[in-house]
Amino acid sequence: MKIGILGAMREEITPILQLIGEYETVEHGKNIYYLAKYSNHELVIAYSKIGKVFASMTATTMIEKFGVEAILFSGVAGAINPRLKIGDLIFATKLAQHDLDITAFGHPYGYVPEGAVFVETDKRLNQIADEVARKSGMRIGRGVIATGDQFIADPERKKWIRETFQADAIEMEGASVGVVCDSFNIPFFVLRAISDSADGNAGEDFDSFLDKSARISGYFIMDMVEAIED
Ligand code: OS5
């Protein structure tokens, strides 16, 4: 199978590239795509740069130019659910764009006509994640992830996102990748390891835990790649 592995920041794909060791590179649209073989699969790996626009573009390129048949997102997130602690893994069952607002027209937050508030991830990939976690004795959570072009470091905004979308974690790319994959009927999976709690300490925590949490997510994604059948 041809699988796309996407991160937003370079740090989010570095552990994956280190594990793979050998790859070719192709530059396209100011991104580098790393092509490799791993466990009977062809992989296309890239970091998009931060935010929904860059992530949408890279996901679209993976599908339209490189022909990937599934996309796995690997990276870090802020915790919204107080039960999530730094280093914990969570995958999205569904995602919403918390910064999408045409409520002036009577629509709910996160909704635009011909879209939907939530985009759902692939049930089979989510099941594989649960199986991989069970076999390796790791803990993994599942829940709602909210996406927006904002780094959340404000308890009031965090509370609003939790109450409006029942979100468990926050990041800046997942829902946009989901909208692209849903449009092209490509199964997708979003995994995040917690780097901060989206509060007043978020900036400092993020800087301290980015590398460690990115490694936790990246290693788990590669265990999943091994568990995916052709
Ligand atoms: O990709 C962005 C979203 N990521 C998940 C995340 C998150 N999202 C929203 N709110 C939170 N509390 C979150 N916690 C984790 C992480 C990432 C956040 S934006 C981080 C930007 C950090 C940075 N800015 N400049 N540099 C790093 C240095 C630099 C310079 C040149 C090239 C590359 C980096």
Side-chain angles (χ1 to χ4, degrees), residues 56-135:
S56 308
M57 162 150 174
T58 309
T60 305
T61 302
M62 282 187 166
I63 296 165
E64 290 280 86
K65 180 176 168 60
F66 290 99
V68 303
E69 299 159 282
I71 290 187
L72 312 179
F73 193 104
S74 178
V76 302
I80 299 283
N81 185 327
R83 282 197 293 233
L84 286 172
K85 304 296 176 207
I86 288 171
D88 285 355
L89 277 171
I90 178 168
F91 67 80
T93 52
K94 57 182 186 175
L95 303 103
Q97 296 179 63
H98 67 77
D99 58 350
L100 194 52
D101 179 356
I102 56 165
T103 54
F105 297 90
H107 297 299
Y109 286 105
Y111 177 84
V112 291
E114 301 185 49
V117 175
F118 291 103
V119 60
E120 288 187 16
T121 51
D122 184 74
K123 291 194 170 51
R124 178 71 196 128
L125 290 172
N126 293 346
Q127 195 183 356
I128 290 171
D130 279 332
E131 282 163 16
V132 166
R134 186 178 50 78
K135 280 187 188 152

Side-chain angles (χ1 to χ4, degrees), residues 8-9 11-12 49-51 76-78 148 150-153 170-173 192 195-199 202 206-207 210:
M9 300 180 71
E11 289 86 343
E12 290 173 318
K49 300 186 283 280
I50 294 164
V76 302
Q150 300 162 358
F151 182 81
I152 304 299
I170 184 89
E171 37 89 315
M172 301 177 65
E173 297 85 15
R192 298 278 182 167
S195 56
D196 59 84
S197 296
D199 55 13
F206 177 81
D207 283 340
L210 168 63

